[in-house]
Amino acid sequence: MSAKLFYNYEEDRSIMMKKDKEELRNWINNLEFIAKELRYLMEIESRIANQKTIKQELYNLQKENTEMVVEMRRYNNTTLGKLECDTVECDAFYLENHEKKRTEYLAFIQKYRLTKTKTFSLILLKTA
């Protein structure tokens, strides 16, 4: 179990930043796991189903996942790592940017799940 993320005496802005940093850490961890899982899926698919369209979808997801990991790490190191807002405009910019990253992440996860399900279904059909 990790240490307490925030304390009662902290300002809302500080709590928000800590929660967003933790959320981003989770996104990166999930994307890194997906990278490993995609390698397994690609190998299994090529051994059992060996279908060009699924193979291409998995390859595209792998490429997109790699790009997203790089982008999320860059976001962590540049924006979240150094952000010190002291104006409402700065807070609004940060919030809008973080929400955009969340939307991109969730869209990728949805696409990944659909392709993963399609791949498993195809593999099950080939082994039936």
Side-chain angles (χ1 to χ4, degrees):
M1 195 92 187
S2 64
K4 190 171 183 178
L5 188 59
F6 59 89
Y7 299 94
N8 295 338
Y9 59 82
E10 289 185 90
E11 293 181 17
D12 290 345
R13 179 181 291 155
S14 174
I15 292 170
M16 180 183 73
M17 291 294 293
K18 285 183 176 183
K19 288 177 75 177
D20 288 349
K21 285 182 182 184
E22 183 64 24
E23 179 178 49
L24 181 59
R25 252 191 306 277
N26 286 329
W27 294 346
I28 293 169
N29 286 339
N30 287 338
L31 292 169
E32 288 171 344
F33 178 79
I34 287 170
K36 292 176 187 174
E37 200 170 48
L38 277 167
R39 287 192 296 271
Y40 287 122
L41 275 173
M42 292 170 84
E43 182 64 29
I44 292 168
E45 189 283 329
S46 71
R47 288 183 185 193
I48 297 173
N50 201 21
Q51 198 168 77
K52 196 174 188 175
T53 56
I54 294 292
K55 188 181 306 270
Q56 187 62 47
E57 282 185 53
L58 291 170
Y59 174 78
N60 291 343
L61 276 175
Q62 185 180 45
K63 183 178 178 205
E64 187 176 345
N65 186 69
T66 300
E67 291 167 357
M68 188 164 284
V69 168
V70 168
E71 182 180 332
M72 294 298 184
R73 285 183 181 151
R74 185 178 312 123
Y75 172 60
N76 183 51
N77 294 335
T78 58
T79 306
L80 282 181
K82 300 175 183 166
L83 188 63
E84 294 285 334
C85 283
D86 56 359
T87 66
V88 174
E89 292 82 16
C90 178
D91 283 339
F93 170 78
Y94 162 76
L95 184 58
E96 185 178 315
N97 194 28
H98 192 76
E99 290 302 315
K100 181 181 173 196
K101 296 295 183 200
R102 178 182 290 122
T103 300
E104 291 171 5
Y105 169 78
L106 292 174
F108 174 78
I109 294 298
Q110 183 64 27
K111 186 188 319 184
Y112 170 70
R113 287 177 178 169
L114 289 171
T115 302
K116 181 178 171 181
T117 301
K118 188 188 313 183
T119 304
F120 282 146
S121 296
L122 181 63
I123 289 169
L124 285 173
L125 284 173
K126 291 287 186 170
T127 58

